[in-house]
Amino acid sequence: MNSACLALAIALPIVGGALMPLLRLPDKKRNLLIEILVLATSALAFACVLRRPETNFVLFHLTGNMTFSLRLDGLGSVFTCLIAALWPLATLYAFEYMRHEERTTSFFACYTMTYGVTLGIAMSEDLVTMYLFYELLTLVSVYLVMHPMTRKALRASRTYLYYSIGGAAFAFIGLVFLILYGTTTNFVLGGVLDMEKVGGNVQLILLVYVLAFLGFGVKAAIFPFSGWLPKASVAPTPVTALLHAVAVVKSGAFALMRLTYYSFGTDFLRGTWAHFAVMSIAMISVIYGSTMAVKETHFKRRLAYSTISNLSYVIMGVTMMSPAGLLAAMCHMVVHAVMKIGAFFCSGAVLHQSGIEYIDELNGLGRRMPFTFGTFVIFSCSLAGIPLFGGFISKWCIAMAAVETAREIPYAYAVVGVLLYAALMTAIYVFTVVVRAFFPDRGSVTPHPEVTDPNWEMCLPLAVFAVATLVLGLHSGPLLDVLQSIANGGF
Amino acid sequence: MNFVQNFPCFSIVLCMVAGIISTPLKGKGAKRVTLFIVSLVALLSFVTLLYILFTGTGFTYTMGRFPAPWGNELRAGLLESLLATVFSLVVLCSLLGGMDLIFTDIAEDKVNLYFILVDLLLSSLLAILYTNDLFTAYVFVEINTISTCGLIMIRESGRSLIAATRYMIMSLIGSGLFLISIAMLYGVTGNLLMEYIHVEILELAASGQYQVPLLVIISFCTVGLAIKSGLYPFHSWMPDAYGYATISSSAILSSLVSKSYIFLLIKIFYCVIGFDLIVQSKIVNVLFVFGLVGMIMGSVSAIMAKEIYRMIAYSSVAQIGYIYMGIGLATEAGMVAAVFHILTHAVTKSLLFLSAKGLNEASGRKRVYPALQGAAFRNPLAGAAFLIGSLSMVGIPTLAGFISKLLFATAAIDGSQRKMLPTLIVLEVSTILNTIYFLHTVVRIYTPVGAPEEYKDVRIHPTPGRIGALVALILMNFGLGLFSQPITDLIRAGIEMFA
Amino acid sequence: MMITWMFGAAILLPVLSGLFLLLRRGKIQNRRLKCVGIFLVMALTALLAVGLICSPDYELTVWRLTDTISLTFRLDGLARLFMGMTVAAWTLGGVFAFEYMKHEENEDRYFGFYLIVLGVLLALDQAGNLVTLYLCFEMMTLTSLPLVLHNMSHEAVMAGLKYLFYSIGGAFTALFGIFYLFANGLTGSFTPGGYLSAGTVSYTGTTGMTLFVLLLIIVGFGTKAGMFPMHGWLPTAHPVAPAPASAVLSGVITKAGVLAVVRVVFYMVGADFLRGTWVQYTWLTLALITVFMGSMMAYKEQLLKKRLAYSSVSQVSYIMFGLATLTVDGFVGGLAHFIFHSVIKDCLFLCAGAIIYNTHRTRVDELRGIGKEMPVTMWCFTIVSLGLVGIPPFSGFVSKWYLAVGSLGSGTGVFTWLGPVVLLLSALLTAGYLLILSIQAFFPGADFDYADVKKHEVNALMTVPMILYAAATLLLGMFPGTLIGFIQNIASAVL
């Protein structure tokens, strides 16, 4: 396939989204158009993945050896597929969810543009290009956070903005160092550092790696830079679900994979203090996220904290610095995307149908919205890592990678411990919801007797995600095979 | 001598002539003359640039009939002609962008005076860029100061008068120091032409004579020009001056005037004193430190600013800090970054001022933040322009600011180890601070207002000039961001021509 | 092929009918029909299970989650033992519940989950490798949760959550070990005698770390068995459940923890690997602490069901102690005690249930003279109490005998004699907290007013299970040969 298709896949939603407000269509037609646009992009993206263009596509030259160019490799394909699969469904959900909101056209314009930008991150050939899309992602998605236009939303959007751009600023240091000390800025599995140039500056480069890690980690909500994520849950649910559980935060995790495995290289990093540092950061984030989630009583914020902890699962996988670690990270990236977007959609459905935001108000709602909470049980089990559900497989992979790494670096056993601590916390914070919904305290009243399950536009994505969670749990062999070969550099 | 070699002199003289012609004219006429001349100067500078590129060497041009080592000379290299081109383009854009306001802000009988001042300013800017002898430099520095004062206070509002006075005092202190250093140089070397001074100084340095006077010269000259260019902590005049002048003035002043001094300083460093000597004198370290402090303090002040112009003005303080930091790195790469940032800042700051004016108009001429809410919807072009300017300042790839940042960072890493980490950290912290104040404003202007009726009467009809100026500046921003390679090459070649 | 079908049917039949009941809850008006249906399902499941028990050993891989993780089920002696106990307890508990649940709400939900847990337990008993075991274990926790919080009072819901979090926490602790063992090469299915002692696989783990994770596994799965220090949930959760549920929770589900520990220690790692290590001593210590502590707490406790729950804490750790001696006799004693304790504790809880159902009395001191009101119940209560204390010819004596013998022959230093001493002490306490009840029930003292005491026994649906249990206690105590022989077969294979 022609490599220009990559650019087309990115440009389609960006341009389409940007033009949308100019068309001034009535809501129905606009929705149809957007869905077609998104589906077409997804189709194109899948086509790109299936018949991968061999060559890269250079958008333009920046300075001598810096180009903005696109190329699809294994890791990028995984992310592309993930995004392309989730976006149409999330858009569908958003139509129904946003029906009664204002300024929907500009919302959907940004929503669609974000799609293109995220694809850009997935398809970037080098660090510079990724950095560009990374910054753009912040900018287009910030509008989505501020969309409710309440004081809270505005404050959240500013926080998001400062955190993200600040993070990118530190990632920028890594970028500059790679330009100077690397053979190229392109992503090559195994890293691109030029050891001759590095020479005696090993410690410095390690420091830079940690800085860049923290920088990109901001989007992946690592502790202590995770403050924006729970705040940003004021955004409409389709945004929290798709962006703050998948697109944006996974871009951060994705960037960390690129940084660790494809830029600095694991051979260079393994066993150094930087390795320990990033591993510790990931573990602390997991503990922080999962503990805070237990404390939080706001439904969406609880899920947001859960996202913090789960993203750091991915990062723990990344910090194993081995092919198995990369495999585990990718696996959890995929699985978490599916289950968390589902869980968020459940919370969104609750909010949309009943207006309930806090968990202690959910008394007995499971009876009223059996479908929504039925799927929520599936996502909960998956999040908690119960076998047969997707989450178990990815946790299994992470643990296997950790134990393998721990043979050389015993510190990695702590990762397994943290994983299980977090799993317990996860069980606590998801199952309390389930229990409250299905087994309300005797005497507590279900406040909204007329609440029902939402209509098909919201239920369909839920069903699809629930089925996907189960399929990932039951039959993950093919997925793992593909990820395995990517992690080993086969693609 | 090729005819093109006359162009630098022509541009300077043309500007002055334009000023003289404008004297009897009414505002409209003066405007036409000025616009024409500015465009012409841009064209001439560009041709000069091409010529130098084509021939591969710079040239000197003797003014009057006194041959060297006497008399006055102009020297045109790649850098000079490049900056001259950009500067005249920015003046053009700023004038076009604020044209309608010049006629409303300024009393009718003084409009032609305004244009005269602009002509004078441009001529002095060009002269400062091109000059090859220190005395000419000093003369035009003073002309520059006077015309700048005029531009600030011509609006005749109370605060602009105060601002002009402040500027005058600061500027004169700077000029005074500069003058003293020139006088001492003359005393020590007996020359005013740069090359000749340079030769003498090298000899002096080699022989070890006059070490203390040389140090004094270097520091006076540096400090003088630093004060004039508003390096922190000599920036106090900026916010008022930029905030209350008519918008074209703000744009021109913030983008160009202080930059011309900086360029003069760079030129003196290379052509007069010699860069090695400068590095030995450690004065660059001082500049470096103040640059860093300026980056942070400027941004912090910008965050605390309550209105948009002051915010942009304080941002200039920070940006000047960037430039001095680049100079302070004391490497060629740092210098390239500094010069590139001069260009970046010139095209971005004027864009920001012009667009801020547009936002301000769309908000009932209120300048405080709350009033600006939703302004980008009422004036989409200004909103977009402000957005792009902000993003450039924050350093989003594909925009000029990103390349500046990249160049600074690369220079820092390539340079001395001691300066690397402070530079990088301050650079990143300042990026975050930039984000805070610029994007805060962006969020503000893109937040719809609760009660749109309040602004129902606001009808924004930007003049074609405004549109053109904004679009041109936006394009220049993108141009610098996307096609930076030739420009950085050019700057590097230009700096090598100095040495 | 036939086996596969039977296996699938035995698990799916109760699960699917349970789900059906859940979906149709509140819609089936005819209670009698419903109860008959449920009984048929249980009976059929029991038949299928018996069929499986009688069939030769098998190993079935039903699904592959990934290339390395498969869901495998295998039938061996241990599985037979547990399956037999499970279906027996479930059927009797179910029959009891037909009557008992009349006074609770939401009985459809109760029976639905009751059936589902049965299926899950049957699967758990036959789990053939670590992952399958873990899967079934988690499923058991989740599906048995509704049984615990059934009456949905605030207390019950909180107890349910406590149960859930302790269980899951324990399972995750064990999961650490599973991760470690699996990642280092112990990927096969359960084999009597284990892999490590025999050295039949290439194992990459270090001894120190392996021992550590084994302790984690023991403590983790031991949570379910109420072993110190993770016993806190048990006295909270068991009493709030409806009595028949408490019976199976105490009688069968706690034993799942035992099963899991046995599987890991004796079927994956091997007893020799553990023998004489600090982990064995820790395990012994924990078990003894639990035994003693449970008895003490039970002695102090005034709520009847809670007292029984503490008693379970203590008794299940008898089993743990027996296993921890790593001797044939200890193993036999442990597994025998598993059966006996299940029978006895089921019966005790059913008795308590009958009392609550009939008289709404929950405190121990309210039970004076109740022997006159409910003689059958209290007779059963007395018989099984004697069994639990360990008085011949009742069953508890046999298992305690083996436990003591095992302990004495274990060569574990101080534990050889400390174990029997603690067991003895605990038996005395058991007598103290159980027999005192019988005494007060039948001999309320001279000042007791017999005037308003009327005999009103519960009906046959409730008495028959209790009587059967009591009879089993007696019979197993008098004729333990077959059972002991069967367990000895298992023991000789693994030790």
Side-chain angles (χ1 to χ4, degrees):
Chain A
M1 222 169 152
N2 195 323
S3 59
C5 287
L6 299 177
L8 188 62
I10 295 171
L12 199 59
I14 294 184
V15 175
L19 293 180
M20 202 56 70
L22 303 180
L23 295 180
R24 296 180 192 285
L25 292 173
D27 280 8
K28 270 232 165 86
K29 275 189 187 159
R30 181 203 64 203
N31 287 358
L32 187 67
L33 192 61
I34 287 177
E35 189 65 28
I36 290 173
L37 190 67
V38 170
L39 279 173
T41 312
S42 289
L44 193 57
F46 278 121
C48 286
V49 170
L50 289 177
R51 308 182 48 129
R52 190 122 41 95
E54 291 301 317
T55 53
N56 62 351
F57 180 80
V58 181
L59 287 175
F60 40 80
H61 287 271
L62 199 59
T63 61
N65 53 359
M66 283 167 62
T67 52
F68 284 136
S69 53
L70 303 173
R71 202 167 73 86
L72 201 56
D73 68 349
L75 183 59
S77 305
V78 174
F79 196 41
T80 306
C81 285
L82 186 64
I83 298 296
L86 296 182
W87 219 281
L89 286 167
T91 310
L92 196 63
Y93 180 92
F95 290 148
E96 170 62 19
Y97 191 91
M98 301 301 292
R99 180 162 294 167
H100 307 295
E101 304 273 333
E102 289 172 52
R103 298 180 296 275
T104 43
T105 303
S106 48
F107 174 84
F108 279 111
C110 276
Y111 201 65
T112 314
M113 283 164 76
T114 312
Y115 185 17
V117 176
T118 316
L119 280 180
I121 289 181
M123 292 173 174
S124 299
E125 191 195 16
D126 54 42
L127 202 54
V128 184
T129 319
M130 195 174 78
Y131 182 79
L132 162 71
F133 284 113
Y134 198 78
E135 295 273 34
L136 286 183
L137 181 61
T138 311
L139 297 173
V140 291
S141 60
V142 78
Y143 179 77
L144 297 172
V145 178
M146 62 191 262
H147 180 264
M149 296 294 174
T150 55
R151 286 187 80 83
K152 223 164 128 194
L154 289 174
R155 212 172 304 136
S157 69
R158 288 207 298 270
T159 315
Y160 170 53
L161 203 55
Y162 302 157
Y163 270 90
S164 270
I165 300 223
F170 281 92
F172 175 80
I173 297 184
L175 169 71
V176 176
F177 267 85
L178 275 172
I179 290 171
L180 288 175
Y181 287 97
T183 46
T184 158
T185 51
N186 283 6
F187 295 125
V188 179
L189 189 60
V192 294
L193 279 183
D194 187 339
M195 292 322 280
E196 278 179 23
K197 285 188 204 162
V198 173
N201 289 333
V202 173
Q203 293 307 320
L204 178 67
I205 304 280
L206 288 177
L207 177 67
V208 169
Y209 168 72
V210 175
L211 283 181
F213 188 94
L214 289 173
F216 278 126
V218 169
K219 269 230 170 63
I222 58 172
F223 184 78
F225 306 117
S226 52
W228 63 271
L229 188 58
K231 279 194 186 159
S233 65
V234 295
T237 303
V239 175
T240 354
L242 183 59
L243 269 62
H244 300 147
V246 186
V248 170
V249 291
K250 294 280 155 43
S251 298
F254 179 78
L256 290 180
M257 291 181 203
R258 288 294 201 196
L259 192 73
T260 308
Y261 288 85
Y262 291 80
S263 291
F264 282 87
T266 48
D267 293 337
F268 176 72
L269 297 168
R270 194 179 301 125
T272 60
W273 65 267
H275 186 185
F276 287 90
V278 294
M279 224 193 300
S280 310
I281 293 167
M283 284 193 273
I284 294 169
S285 316
V286 170
I287 295 173
Y288 169 78
S290 51
T291 313
M292 289 303 287
V294 173
K295 266 182 66 185
E296 182 62 61
T297 56
H298 187 275
F299 198 177
K300 273 170 75 183
R301 275 206 291 277
R302 176 174 285 195
L303 292 177
Y305 277 116
S306 156
T307 306
I308 294 177
S309 113
N310 273 281
L311 284 166
S312 284
Y313 281 16
V314 178
I315 298 172
M316 285 202 299
V318 171
T319 58
M320 288 304 107
M321 311 257 175
S322 62
L326 183 58
L327 161 74
M330 287 189 283
C331 184
H332 197 65
M333 185 167 86
V334 173
V335 172
H336 175 249
V338 175
M339 63 194 184
K340 187 49 71 62
I341 196 173
F344 264 120
F345 278 1
C346 286
S347 78
V350 171
L351 188 63
H352 184 255
Q353 297 297 106
S354 70
I356 291 177
E357 287 186 43
Y358 285 88
I359 288 164
D360 42 16
E361 294 167 5
L362 288 175
N363 289 326
L365 214 60
R367 289 281 186 80
R368 307 260 168 251
M369 305 174 69
F371 181 79
T372 308
F373 277 94
T375 51
F376 188 76
V377 170
I378 293 177
F379 302 131
S380 299
C381 289
S382 181
L383 278 168
I386 311 286
L388 300 189
F389 299 95
F392 175 73
I393 300 294
S394 54
K395 276 185 197 170
W396 181 268
C397 292
I398 296 172
M400 288 300 127
V403 174
E404 189 194 299
T405 301
R407 272 183 223 138
E408 292 165 38
I409 303 163
Y411 188 54
Y413 283 126
V415 167
V416 186
V418 167
L419 195 67
L420 296 169
Y421 167 80
L424 175 62
M425 291 297 130
T426 311
I428 293 178
Y429 65 71
V430 292
F431 286 128
T432 41
V433 176
V434 174
V435 166
R436 203 169 267 285
F438 282 108
F439 307 105
D441 280 5
R442 184 191 293 274
S444 66
V445 274
T446 309
H448 297 269
E450 72 286 358
V451 170
T452 54
D453 270 323
N455 73 356
W456 71 273
E457 281 172 314
M458 288 174 105
C459 284
L460 178 69
L462 280 177
V464 172
F465 293 135
V467 170
T469 309
L470 283 171
V471 169
L472 284 172
L474 288 171
H475 194 59
S476 52
L479 175 71
L480 289 182
D481 287 343
V482 172
L483 296 182
Q484 182 77 56
S485 57
I486 290 171
N488 290 331
F491 276 84
Chain B
M1 196 172 84
N2 199 305
F3 181 65
V4 178
Q5 293 187 0
N6 291 315
F7 283 1
C9 182
F10 281 6
S11 346
I12 299 171
V13 174
L14 271 174
C15 290
M16 291 182 151
V17 170
I20 296 166
I21 296 175
S22 300
T23 322
L25 291 178
K26 289 253 180 216
K28 284 246 160 83
K31 167 186 131 185
R32 288 200 194 98
V33 171
T34 306
L35 286 182
F36 173 72
I37 291 296
V38 174
S39 320
L40 189 61
V41 167
L43 186 68
L44 289 179
S45 310
F46 188 61
V47 172
T48 318
L49 176 65
L50 289 183
Y51 171 76
I52 297 172
L53 267 180
F54 186 68
T55 57
T57 52
F59 55 85
T60 52
Y61 176 86
T62 315
M63 301 224 281
R65 278 179 288 157
F66 298 104
W70 318 109
N72 303 337
E73 273 188 8
L74 296 180
R75 178 183 176 287
L78 279 175
L79 265 189
E80 287 92 342
S81 48
L82 175 69
L83 285 175
T85 316
V86 175
F87 278 20
S88 39
L89 280 177
V90 170
V91 169
L92 186 62
C93 288
S94 305
L95 282 179
L96 282 175
M99 192 57 79
D100 45 338
L101 293 164
I102 293 174
F103 285 90
T104 53
D105 281 352
I106 296 167
E108 209 185 331
D109 54 333
K110 293 204 171 129
V111 171
N112 70 333
L113 186 60
Y114 183 84
F115 287 106
I116 295 170
L117 286 170
V118 170
D119 292 332
L120 210 56
L121 180 70
L122 184 60
S123 81
S124 68
L125 285 176
L126 293 171
I128 291 173
L129 291 179
Y130 282 124
T131 179
N132 200 29
D133 68 305
L134 286 176
F135 192 72
T136 316
Y138 176 70
V139 169
F140 280 99
V141 163
E142 289 301 355
I143 294 178
N144 196 328
T145 309
I146 292 164
S147 49
T148 306
C149 275
L151 284 176
I152 295 172
M153 67 186 181
I154 199 163
R155 198 169 167 197
E156 291 185 317
S157 75
R159 296 191 76 151
S160 63
L161 287 177
I162 297 174
T165 318
R166 272 194 185 168
Y167 176 69
M168 183 67 106
I169 294 169
M170 273 299 191
S171 227
L172 288 179
I173 293 174
S175 310
L177 288 172
F178 183 51
L179 182 61
I180 293 173
S181 72
I182 292 178
M184 285 177 75
L185 260 182
Y186 186 67
V188 172
T189 61
N191 275 304
L192 281 172
L193 283 178
M194 292 188 180
E195 290 115 74
Y196 293 90
I197 302 178
H198 187 49
V199 173
E200 294 283 331
I201 283 185
L202 283 183
E203 276 177 18
L204 287 179
S207 64
Q209 284 172 293
Y210 291 115
Q211 278 197 340
V212 176
L214 264 184
L215 196 62
V216 173
I217 289 167
I218 291 173
S219 40
F220 273 32
C221 157
T222 312
V223 172
L225 287 175
I227 291 176
K228 287 189 78 81
S229 55
L231 175 62
Y232 184 87
F234 309 114
H235 66 285
S236 54
W237 55 271
M238 273 190 180
D240 278 347
Y242 296 172
Y244 295 97
T246 184
I247 203 65
S248 298
S249 308
S250 303
I252 295 173
L253 297 183
S254 63
S255 317
L256 306 180
V257 173
S258 42
K259 308 304 174 309
S260 63
Y261 298 131
I262 296 175
F263 181 75
L264 181 61
L265 186 65
I266 295 176
K267 201 164 178 178
I268 289 175
F269 277 3
Y270 275 99
C271 299
V272 180
I273 315 279
F275 200 60
D276 298 333
L277 218 56
I278 291 290
V279 175
Q280 280 167 26
S281 74
K282 305 263 193 304
I283 190 82
V284 283
N285 295 353
V286 178
L287 290 180
F288 179 71
V289 170
F290 279 102
L292 291 188
V293 176
M295 283 162 75
I296 301 293
M297 294 312 293
S299 295
V300 170
S301 312
I303 291 174
M304 316 237 273
K306 298 232 162 19
E307 44 189 72
I308 190 163
Y309 297 130
R310 291 179 77 87
M311 182 272 276
I312 304 176
Y314 275 118
S315 150
S316 285
V317 178
Q319 302 302 322
I320 287 167
Y322 273 76
I323 299 174
Y324 275 106
M325 176 193 78
I327 297 173
L329 286 171
T331 57
E332 191 187 301
M335 211 55 88
V336 172
V339 175
F340 192 88
H341 199 64
I342 291 179
L343 298 181
T344 303
H345 189 234
V347 295
T348 314
K349 225 3 102 52
S350 42
L351 177 65
L352 280 170
F353 267 115
L354 289 181
S355 55
K357 187 66 208 173
L359 297 174
N360 165 264
E361 283 173 345
S363 315
R365 299 201 171 254
K366 290 184 201 129
R367 33 177 83 209
V368 287
Y369 283 125
L372 290 176
Q373 189 165 343
F377 296 114
R378 300 191 287 274
N379 189 346
L381 179 66
F386 190 83
L387 174 70
I388 287 171
S390 300
L391 295 185
S392 178
M393 286 282 99
V394 170
I396 304 293
T398 69
L399 289 166
F402 173 73
I403 301 294
S404 293
K405 222 173 94 175
L406 191 70
L407 290 174
F408 278 124
T410 353
I413 295 169
D414 262 353
S416 85
Q417 292 273 339
R418 266 212 328 240
K419 285 180 185 166
M420 180 184 75
L421 273 185
T423 314
L424 287 179
I425 289 170
V426 171
L427 200 59
E428 300 322 330
V429 170
S430 124
T431 306
I432 297 172
L433 297 177
N434 279 350
T435 314
I436 293 178
Y437 57 84
F438 274 121
L439 296 191
H440 184 164
T441 317
V442 169
V443 168
R444 171 82 71 179
I445 63 174
Y446 275 101
T447 306
V449 273
E453 297 79 28
E454 196 184 328
Y455 294 107
K456 219 161 54 186
D457 312 334
V458 175
R459 285 277 174 276
I460 298 299
H461 297 291
T463 58
R466 174 75 63 82
I467 298 173
L470 287 178
V471 170
L473 287 169
I474 290 173
L475 288 180
M476 278 154 86
N477 241 309
F478 273 110
L480 282 178
L482 290 177
F483 309 105
S484 58
Q485 187 66 41
I487 298 167
T488 42
D489 288 346
L490 232 157
I491 294 173
R492 194 165 290 121
I495 287 181
E496 273 158 15
M497 271 183 194
F498 277 164
Chain C
M1 198 59 209
M2 186 63 191
I3 298 272
T4 317
W5 282 108
M6 271 171 68
F7 167 79
I11 291 168
L12 289 181
L13 176 68
V15 170
L16 292 180
S17 27
L19 281 176
F20 176 76
L21 204 56
L22 285 179
L23 291 177
R24 304 279 306 162
R25 69 180 155 197
K27 303 237 173 69
I28 306 168
Q29 300 299 335
N30 188 339
R31 187 166 191 279
R32 183 177 295 269
L33 184 70
K34 184 168 65 185
C35 290
V36 169
I38 294 168
F39 180 76
L40 280 180
V41 169
M42 287 192 298
L44 198 55
T45 311
L47 274 178
L48 284 166
V50 170
L52 285 175
I53 290 172
C54 296
S55 57
D57 284 5
Y58 57 77
E59 182 165 325
L60 295 171
T61 296
V62 294
W63 187 257
R64 291 194 169 278
L65 288 181
T66 69
D67 293 343
T68 48
I69 308 175
S70 59
L71 293 185
T72 303
F73 296 92
R74 65 197 298 278
L75 184 74
D76 58 6
L78 196 64
R80 290 191 176 92
L81 194 67
F82 275 81
M83 278 169 74
M85 191 61 232
T86 304
V87 288
W90 231 261
T91 317
L92 291 177
V95 171
F96 183 89
F98 290 145
E99 180 65 26
Y100 184 86
M101 291 310 287
K102 272 184 185 166
H103 90 159
E104 298 263 353
E105 291 163 29
N106 277 326
E107 63 168 349
D108 287 354
R109 191 180 70 206
Y110 174 84
F111 283 114
F113 280 107
Y114 191 76
L115 288 175
I116 293 175
V117 180
L118 173 60
V120 173
L121 274 175
L122 288 176
L124 174 70
D125 294 341
Q126 301 177 70
N129 60 21
L130 285 173
V131 179
T132 318
L133 180 76
Y134 174 74
L135 159 70
C136 298
F137 206 80
E138 290 282 28
M139 285 300 165
M140 177 185 72
T141 304
L142 292 176
T143 50
S144 60
L145 173 67
L147 300 183
V148 174
L149 47 70
H150 181 82
N151 83 17
M152 310 231 286
S153 63
H154 183 71
E155 186 197 0
V157 172
M158 287 302 128
L161 289 176
K162 193 170 178 186
Y163 165 69
L164 181 68
F165 301 149
Y166 265 82
S167 300
I168 290 192
F172 285 147
T173 314
L175 188 58
F176 188 117
I178 294 178
F179 282 149
Y180 184 83
L181 297 178
F182 198 95
N184 282 311
L186 281 190
T187 55
S189 51
F190 298 131
T191 311
Y195 292 98
L196 286 195
S197 309
T200 45
V201 290
S202 58
Y203 182 69
T204 48
T206 57
T207 310
M209 195 64 196
T210 310
L211 284 174
F212 174 68
V213 302
L214 274 176
L215 183 67
L216 288 184
I217 290 179
I218 290 167
V219 172
F221 283 136
T223 307
K224 203 79 189 181
M227 193 170 75
F228 179 84
M230 305 275 276
H231 61 283
W233 64 275
L234 202 152
T236 320
H238 284 183
V240 299
S246 318
V248 292
L249 281 168
S250 253
V252 183
I253 290 183
T254 49
K255 309 304 190 306
V258 175
L259 174 70
V261 172
V262 173
R263 286 296 192 192
V264 175
V265 172
F266 296 93
Y267 286 79
M268 285 309 285
V269 178
D272 293 337
F273 188 83
L274 217 56
R275 188 166 290 126
T277 61
W278 61 274
V279 172
Q280 190 196 0
Y281 292 114
T282 316
W283 189 9
L284 283 166
T285 315
L286 290 177
L288 285 182
I289 291 177
T290 322
V291 166
F292 186 69
M293 187 200 61
S295 309
M296 289 298 284
M297 299 296 284
Y299 191 77
K300 260 179 56 190
E301 183 56 54
Q302 289 303 312
L303 275 175
L304 177 57
K305 278 175 82 181
K306 206 156 185 179
R307 177 175 286 191
L308 296 179
Y310 274 119
S311 161
S312 286
V313 171
S314 158
Q315 297 294 325
V316 177
S317 277
Y318 274 63
I319 309 174
M320 282 300 206
F321 176 77
L323 297 174
T325 59
L326 302 176
T327 56
V328 174
D329 288 327
F331 189 86
V332 172
L335 288 191
H337 199 70
F338 149 61
I339 297 285
F340 300 156
H341 175 251
S342 290
V343 170
I344 291 168
K345 199 43 69 63
D346 277 341
C347 187
L348 286 172
F349 268 114
L350 294 189
C351 292
I355 293 170
I356 293 170
Y357 180 71
N358 222 2
T359 67
H360 301 288
R361 293 181 208 164
T362 53
R363 294 182 62 83
V364 172
D365 47 20
E366 295 167 341
L367 298 183
R368 277 178 68 199
I370 200 159
K372 305 290 176 196
E373 293 177 58
M374 306 172 66
V376 181
T377 307
M378 284 321 290
W379 268 110
C380 293
F381 190 93
T382 311
I383 291 172
V384 293
S385 297
L386 290 170
L388 198 62
V389 177
I391 294 169
F394 300 103
S395 58
F397 169 74
V398 180
S399 53
K400 289 190 183 178
W401 173 264
Y402 274 100
L403 287 175
V405 171
S407 172
L408 290 170
S410 65
T412 47
V414 69
F415 290 101
T416 46
W417 57 268
L418 186 64
V421 169
V422 173
L423 296 192
L424 205 65
L425 264 177
S426 163
L428 283 176
L429 287 168
T430 312
Y433 64 75
L434 282 180
L435 292 181
I436 193 83
L437 271 174
S438 299
I439 294 170
Q440 286 193 342
F442 288 112
F443 310 105
D447 57 338
F448 189 73
D449 180 15
Y450 286 89
D452 49 338
V453 172
K454 275 205 301 279
K455 181 178 173 217
H456 56 124
E457 188 55 77
V458 287
N459 71 8
L461 280 178
M462 294 175 100
T463 49
V464 168
M466 292 188 280
I467 293 171
L468 283 177
Y469 276 130
T473 311
L474 189 60
L475 289 175
L476 285 172
M478 285 157 64
F479 311 106
T482 324
L483 180 67
I484 296 294
F486 183 76
I487 299 176
Q488 264 166 344
N489 272 339
I490 303 174
S492 58
V494 301
L495 278 159

